[in-house]
Amino acid sequence: MEGKAAVLEGKAAEQDGAVTELKGTASDRYEITAHAPGPTGHLPLTDDLLRNAPSGDLFGMSQNVGMGWKPGELNGKQFLILSTQGGIRNEDGSPAALGYHTGHWEVGLLMKAAAEELSSHGGIPFAGYVSDPCDGRSQGTTGMFDSLPYRNDAAMVFRRLIRSLPTRKGVLGVATCDKGLPAMMLALAGVPQLPGVIVPGGVTLPPTDGEDAGKIQTIGARYSNGELSLEMASELGCRACATPGGGCQFLGTAATAQVVAEALGMTVPHAALAPSGQPIWTEMARQSARALMHMEKQGMTMSDIITDASIRNAMVVHAAFGGSTNLLLHIPAIAHAAGLTLPGVQDWIQVNKQVPRLVSALPNGPVFYPTIRVFQAGGVPEVMLHLRRLGLLDVSVPTVTGMPLDHVLDWWESSERRHVMRKQLQERDGIDPDTVIMSAELSKHLGISSTVTFPTGNIAPEGSVIKSTSIDPDVLDEHGVYRHRGTAKVFTTERAAIRAIKTGGIQAGDIIVLLGRGPSGTGMEETYQLTSALKHLSFGKYVSLITDARFSGVSTGACIGHVGPEALAGGPIGKLRDGDLIDIVVNRSTLDGSVNFVGTVGMEVTPEEGSFILAQRSFHPNMRADEALPDDTRLWAALQAVSGGTWRGNVYDVDRIITALEAGKKALGWH
């Protein structure tokens, strides 16, 4: 017993020591104050306020002065600044705690600049935050299962924050990256009775000597295939993000979302793709604050800005930029949030057949300029000037400047800003701005094709998406058509597919099929690990990829995604097997395409016969929802499926969901 007591005493002493180490011993920490005199002065109350104002308005005043606002300045108009800020920056810009990505690391500086502008005009700024994940950081991990579903969740929280400040007169939305900025646009579109302005968080700079943030994500695949040394991989990876803030340096989802926000008229002119942390970037926040106050004064709201016409303008600008295919999910969702007509596949096809691609940038080329060069060449308004000349825009639509788009473009065309930016690019950097943002005539002369094609066939009866403009010209025939007939190598997890690429299991001529990775399987994960590896490996341009998952905006090549129906919803892609013969045809000139199962080598069949064979087959035995799929994402998958699925933007259509629930309750006999 004595030995046991000694052991217990020893453990107790050890625990006391651990607690002391955690809590510390400084006695001055124990000195606390139990009351304080409170702010001096008087709230600007009136008889009418006390008799008729909600108690929340009155208590809000008490809290405002409690946080330090001067009582005599409480009658100003209140404006809400929402952002996706992440991490904790010290005053000198060094990290106290890291953010998820550079895109939201510096946006607090934009918020501060906007807040100062609002208060200098007598306004009272409020701020709220909903940080966002990084698709690059979560590539190849189960974190990707939360990526697309996050957008809907964040948009709902943003809208709840807007409604939870009943005294706000307008909203500034400060955001940058793949899901945070689309969520912010959905949030503002969902409050049509309020004025709102988007403040894009800008872009990070590329390294002076190195690789961009898209290519750098392939160092594992290139090293594994003997195409990159360990030392070079380490060195290049270290400097890829050359400045600490802003979205990536290519026209991926983050940059394209900024472009779309401006194309919708939701930003001040020449806002998208500004260099994070630089004076022109912070001034854009001040301009946005002034625009918001002007909108409020003029009685303009989001319902004036986001219309069927501005949605179509955004689709046109998306095509002209060669933007991310992820915006095919986000633009319909913005339209849904605004209560507008949702663009369908035929609308996208029509727009892309009409609109030439005018921007030469990463990842599409033909010259791989980073996004900062697009900004210097004139950005969105410069592209819109070309589109206006072609008659492809509705220039009567209002913008947050208070002026119609036509007037904004007139200003831009003769502005000092445009002249100086383009001159600097030419004289200081030796880059002709007209080779970054081209005329339609130059684009045609260079043989640049329109942005996306929507192949159909017995593997994708509801359609699919390919960024056809980025297929390597070396694998096209003399008519600009991509043809690939080859055997399938079928995978049911991205991990298995990337392992095959890294270990020699994929060769030139193969067709990779990745199935069961749509909304129901993984939350429609983004498979940039695969597409980027194929782009940057020497044999990759001779490999095709077909999947019911989606791709990063920086993806290129013969990669066909968004296959519908998804495998787990009964789509025929879920019935493919190793060795199946697949025929892919994509015409970059006419934007027509097909993807069909046509039997096996030596036993080829027609696409119609292939449809019959697939209908008789069972589903792939290894196809199932990922075992790590969170319940949150399972719920999202069910709700967006009832709401119309991927081709309606993965939205929550409340009326359709309630109708389905009521029908289900009735069928189950629930009361």
Side-chain angles (χ1 to χ4, degrees):
M1 291 294 293
E2 290 180 2
K4 196 172 190 178
V7 169
L8 291 172
E9 288 175 3
K11 286 184 177 179
E14 183 180 328
Q15 290 168 353
D16 286 345
V19 171
T20 298
E21 184 179 349
L22 288 171
K23 300 290 286 182
T25 57
S27 60
D28 60 349
R29 298 175 189 159
Y30 305 145
E31 294 296 325
I32 64 172
T33 300
H35 56 83
T40 59
H42 299 81
L43 298 180
L45 298 175
T46 64
D47 176 79
D48 180 62
L49 281 173
L50 289 170
R51 291 183 184 278
N52 299 309
S55 64
D57 288 3
L58 303 177
F59 182 53
M61 289 186 179
S62 296
Q63 294 202 78
N64 294 346
V65 296
M67 288 182 280
W69 208 261
K70 295 179 180 178
E73 299 177 0
L74 286 179
N75 284 327
K77 293 179 179 178
Q78 299 180 6
F79 294 94
L80 176 59
I81 306 171
L82 291 176
S83 95
T84 55
Q85 180 178 336
I88 304 172
R89 296 175 78 255
N90 293 318
E91 288 299 317
D92 64 358
S94 62
L98 294 170
Y100 284 63
H101 53 82
T102 60
H104 63 209
W105 174 243
E106 289 185 330
V107 296
L109 300 175
L110 291 174
M111 298 181 76
K112 189 172 186 293
E116 290 171 348
E117 189 69 24
L118 291 168
S119 60
S120 73
H121 289 81
I124 304 176
F126 287 74
Y129 309 84
V130 181
S131 193
D132 55 341
C134 175
D135 280 8
R137 188 181 294 274
S138 60
Q139 290 293 338
T141 76
T142 56
M144 185 52 71
F145 299 170
D146 289 289
S147 172
L148 184 54
Y150 165 89
R151 184 205 66 185
N152 289 6
D153 296 343
M156 288 194 297
V157 175
F158 279 133
R159 285 194 294 266
R160 290 189 187 279
L161 287 173
I162 293 169
R163 294 191 295 266
S164 297
L165 186 67
T167 50
R168 75 283 180 265
K169 298 295 184 181
V171 186
L172 277 180
V174 186
T176 306
C177 282
D178 292 29
K179 302 305 174 298
L181 182 49
M184 191 71 77
M185 288 192 280
L186 263 64
L188 267 62
V191 287
Q193 77 284 4
L194 284 175
V197 177
I198 290 290
V199 184
V203 299
T204 188
L205 299 186
T208 303
D209 181 19
E211 296 181 351
D212 68 88
K215 186 174 182 179
I216 209 66
Q217 294 179 54
T218 69
I219 54 177
R222 285 184 286 155
Y223 172 77
S224 298
N225 279 271
E227 298 187 8
L228 193 66
S229 70
L230 177 59
E231 180 181 1
M232 187 60 72
S234 302
E235 184 178 343
L236 291 171
C238 186
R239 60 173 181 262
C241 298
T243 50
C248 294
Q249 309 111 330
F250 45 81
L251 281 172
T253 308
T256 307
Q258 294 186 43
V259 166
V260 163
E262 186 166 346
L264 284 165
M266 298 178 76
T267 78
V268 296
H270 201 220
L273 314 180
S276 181
Q278 298 189 34
I280 199 168
W281 176 78
T282 47
E283 177 57 28
M284 179 258 297
R286 297 185 185 93
Q287 294 166 355
S288 301
R290 294 194 293 270
L292 182 67
M293 290 184 286
H294 180 71
M295 285 184 73
E296 190 276 333
K297 186 176 181 180
Q298 297 298 315
M300 290 184 67
T301 69
M302 296 314 299
S303 63
D304 297 311
I305 304 300
I306 305 178
T307 62
D308 287 333
S310 66
I311 289 288
R312 186 170 181 84
N313 280 351
M315 296 168 67
V316 169
V317 174
H318 173 274
F321 267 80
S324 163
T325 54
N326 276 323
L327 271 294
L328 275 66
L329 306 176
H330 301 318
I331 290 177
I334 294 166
H336 176 265
L340 303 173
T341 303
L342 274 64
V345 175
Q346 291 305 315
D347 298 304
W348 285 104
I349 292 172
Q350 182 187 50
V351 164
N352 278 272
K353 285 188 174 183
Q354 289 180 330
V355 179
R357 180 162 70 84
L358 304 178
V359 176
S360 181
L362 288 163
N364 304 321
V367 179
F368 300 111
Y369 292 116
T371 43
I372 183 60
R373 300 306 193 190
V374 181
F375 179 78
Q376 291 174 291
V380 172
E382 191 69 23
V383 172
M384 283 183 148
L385 282 180
H386 291 289
L387 295 172
R388 181 172 69 169
R389 294 184 194 112
L390 296 170
L392 293 171
L393 291 175
D394 185 335
V395 293
S396 69
V397 296
T399 69
V400 296
T401 64
M403 297 184 293
L405 177 60
D406 207 20
H407 291 187
V408 171
L409 295 180
D410 286 342
W411 165 81
W412 173 255
E413 191 164 23
S414 59
S415 68
E416 178 188 29
R417 182 186 182 107
R418 175 179 184 247
H419 174 74
V420 170
M421 297 294 293
R422 288 167 58 84
K423 184 178 180 181
Q424 282 181 353
L425 184 60
Q426 176 78 66
E427 295 183 354
R428 190 172 63 188
D429 301 310
I431 298 172
D432 181 353
D434 291 328
T435 64
V436 182
I437 297 174
M438 299 170 285
S439 66
E441 293 76 18
L442 179 57
S443 174
K444 183 177 181 180
H445 173 73
L446 294 175
I448 297 173
S449 61
S450 297
T451 298
V452 292
T453 300
F454 298 85
T456 57
N458 62 26
I459 294 174
E462 289 183 358
S464 61
V465 179
I466 179 171
K467 190 189 277 189
S468 49
T469 193
S470 62
I471 299 175
D472 193 304
D474 290 347
V475 295
L476 303 175
D477 67 16
E478 66 274 18
H479 303 294
V481 179
Y482 176 76
R483 302 179 188 276
H484 187 180
R485 180 171 285 216
T487 55
K489 290 187 176 177
V490 179
F491 302 91
T492 58
T493 68
E494 186 193 23
R495 180 174 298 152
I498 194 66
R499 185 185 304 118
I501 290 175
K502 288 183 175 182
T503 58
I506 300 298
Q507 306 293 328
D510 288 340
I511 295 179
I512 299 173
V513 177
L514 178 63
L515 55 85
R517 312 311 280 180
S520 301
T522 64
M524 202 177 187
E525 68 182 353
E526 188 177 87
T527 57
Y528 180 58
Q529 266 199 124
L530 302 178
T531 58
S532 61
L534 294 177
K535 175 177 173 59
H536 294 291
L537 288 171
S538 56
F539 64 87
K541 62 185 174 183
Y542 304 109
V543 176
S544 297
L545 170 63
I546 304 169
T547 182
D548 52 5
R550 60 192 176 90
F551 302 136
S552 164
V554 73
S555 296
T556 58
C559 300
I560 298 172
H562 298 219
V563 167
E566 64 169 314
L568 286 165
I573 186 176
K575 297 183 176 184
L576 296 177
R577 300 288 193 277
D578 284 341
D580 282 345
L581 189 63
I582 293 175
D583 184 66
I584 300 171
V585 179
V586 177
N587 188 322
R588 295 205 319 174
S589 301
T590 63
L591 300 189
D592 298 312
S594 59
V595 51
N596 285 299
F597 161 74
V598 289
T600 56
V601 175
M603 296 185 63
E604 298 183 23
V605 299
T606 66
E608 293 73 23
E609 292 169 329
S611 295
F612 179 79
I613 294 171
L614 289 176
Q616 309 308 308
R617 274 189 186 178
S618 60
F619 287 98
H620 196 287
N622 297 331
M623 183 185 77
R624 60 182 61 86
D626 197 286
E627 60 183 14
L629 193 66
D631 283 347
D632 301 325
T633 301
R634 291 177 59 214
L635 178 60
W636 166 85
L639 294 176
Q640 65 83 36
V642 171
S643 302
T646 297
W647 295 107
R648 295 189 82 241
N650 303 108
V651 299
Y652 294 158
D653 187 322
V654 175
D655 291 335
R656 292 178 68 160
I657 291 168
I658 291 174
T659 298
L661 288 173
E662 292 298 330
K665 286 165 60 179
K666 184 176 180 180
L668 293 168
W670 292 0
H671 301 290

